[in-house]
Structure formats: structure tokens, C-alpha cells
Amino acid sequence: MSEPNPIIDPNTPAGMLEGDLVKQARRGDFAAYDELVKRYQQRIYATIYHMTSNHEDANDLAQESFIKAFQALPSFKGGSTFYTWLYRIAVNKTINFLKQRKNRQHMSLNDLDFNAEHDPDLMALISDKTPVREVGLTELQQKLNEALLKLSEPHRMVVVLHDVQGVSHDEIAEMMNCNIGTVRSRLFYARQQLQGFLAEYINPA
Amino acid sequence: MKHSDNNFKTLRQLLKLKQHEVPPPGYFNTFSDQVISRLQSGEGRAQSSTERIADQAPWLAWLLQLFETRPGVIGGFATSMVVLLVIGVIISERPDSLPKNILTATADSQPTPSLAAVTSPDLGGVVQASGIVASTNPVTSLQPVTTLFGQAGGSSGLFQAASFSPTGSGN
């Protein structure tokens, strides 16, 4: 027997549609904007974190992205979804930040959750067929982040959005203000590069 | 190609590890509060002029960003602006670069009615066969003159010769 879904009052911010929340937030309603932040904070934070490999930077950039979005709300025309528009702000902010700190990259990695050790894909990877079995997940996490940081910002962003976040090619093209062909070619090139950087963990023994 | 796809499949499996990286417990419980308190403290009131520029003209923001991250670029940009300015000044001061006088150019191609024709007592002669009326207005002087009934030149009766001789001899 499943638990009953909690009843959400449509008149409260939690029960409102995204478009209504945006309208209210544009009028300066902080409660409405708080709800929008809550809806997207995890995805925005995760994208920035995977780009920077640094929790403190991700925290600052995520907060600044939401603040900038609130400031720019009057200019939001509704041509795209709020979610795509917000992502675009976060993507631009992150890429600009990374260009500025190019020569002083410092990793501050988050811990792996409990489910990592039970993920079937990861378990399949850490099998007796690959050299990955030789290393622990934490070391693998370190190597993976180092490899990602070697990619250029646009290539890293495409891999993070598509292969880690599961965003579609179309949405990535809209978020990064480029065409879908560019997204596909960047993804292919980035994967090829990553494959080279992580050859000893990927290629069969 | 299939081998490459298989490798990408392994790579994508490896990338799934990133999904298990999580921030400290309870991090998202306070995140939105922090954002809202920063907004309420005044950070969200108005965009700075730089941010407005970035929103309205991304290319200008990109240029400013480029100047900030690569100081050498601003030197090159300033030098090219000065060179363009100097070239502009040199070209503008060359005497042969002055545009030809439009009236002179007209005179080369078409005969201008002589002053004598204007001062002639016979004003009907003002309407020349060329159809050009001498005038101080350079625009109207180039207009072909037609009469009310489309007859260019000639004495149509609309123009009458002025006579400066006294009507009476005083006798």
C-alpha cells in the first residue's frame, strides 16, 4: 500500500505553476522566487559543481546565478522556459568564472553517496574485466574529475549537461546558444578526449 | 566504430560516478534562504550598468571580458583605433579628395543659362530650350520646366515680356 500524496494547496507557492511563480517573482514576491530557487537549486548547483570540481566555487556561483536571474527577471520575455533561461545564466557565469581562474584550478570534491557502491553500472565497471578493480571509487572519482578539468570549458559543459545531467541535445543547444550540430560534435570530441585521458580505466585489460 | 561506441558506453558508465557526488548533508535546506536573504539585503534591487550591458549587448560584454582576461588585447585594440583615426585624418586632409562641386559638374555637361538671359528684358527667354531654369536654388534649378500643358519652352502666352519703358512719355 502506497503512502498518500501530500495535498498541495494551489494557492501556496509550492502548488503554483512555474509561469505563475515567475510572474509573482517579477513583481518582487520573494516567496514565489524562493519556491523557484528550491525547484532548481539541485540541478543548477550540480551543473556548476561538475564544471568546477569545487564545492565552494559551486556554492558561490549557484547563489550568484539565482541572484542575477532575479535581477534580470524583468528582461525575461518567456521565449524559452524559465528553467532553460536560468541554466543559460548559470552556464555563462560558470564559463566566465573558469576562464578567469584558468591557471589556478583547485579541486574540492564532494563525498560519494551511499548508493555509489550499489550502482549497477559502476559495479559492472568495477568487474574483473577492467583495471578499475584495482582502484577504489574515491580514487576513480579523483581521476575522473582531473580528466574533466583537462577539457576546454565548452566541451566539458556539453559532457556534464548530456552525460552527467541527462539534458537533451536540443536543450543544450539552447542553453549554450549554439546549434545542435555543434553540440553533437563537441560531445563526440570531448568523449574522445576523455577516453584518452582515462584509457587505463576504460580499455579492457 | 563499434569498438569506439563500446568505449563510449564504458565512459558513460564511468561518468555516472559523478551523479553520486553530493554536497554536505543539509546543504540544500538552507540554500534558498541564503539566496533570498542576499536578495532582501539589496543585492537584487537593480542591475549594475555592467550587468545591463551584458544582458542587452552580449558581444560588448564579451569584448570587455576579453580585455579583462587578456590585457594585451586592449593594447592591440587601442593601437588599431589610433591607426584608423590617423588614416582618417590624413585622407580627409588630402586636397584631391574633396568632392567635386555639383554645379561645376552640371556645367560641364549642360550649358547653363547665361546671366544675360536672366537680365534680358525678354523674360520669355528664361525658359530655355534646354529646359533648365537659372535659379539660386540648386534643386529647383535642375528641374525641367514644363508649362501647365506640358509644353516645354516656347512662348505659350503664360510668360509675358516685361517692359521697363515708361508707359507714358510724360508729355
Side-chain angles (χ1 to χ4, degrees), chain B residues 10-44:
Chain B
T10 315
L11 176 68
R12 293 183 70 177
Q13 282 180 325
L14 185 56
L15 281 166
K16 278 197 78 179
L17 185 61
K18 293 286 290 171
Q19 295 172 357
H20 294 287
E21 292 181 29
V22 289
Y27 170 71
F28 290 116
N29 295 345
T30 56
F31 182 87
S32 67
D33 293 339
Q34 288 175 33
V35 171
I36 297 300
S37 64
R38 282 178 70 176
L39 287 172
Q40 284 174 328
S41 69
E43 283 189 58

Side-chain angles (χ1 to χ4, degrees), chain A residues 49 59 63 71 145 195, chain B residues 7 18 20-21 27 34 43:
Chain A
Y49 167 76
N59 177 45
Q63 286 195 18
Q71 291 169 336
N145 278 283
Q195 194 171 253
Chain B
N7 279 349
K18 293 286 290 171
H20 294 287
E21 292 181 29
Y27 170 71
Q34 288 175 33
E43 283 189 58

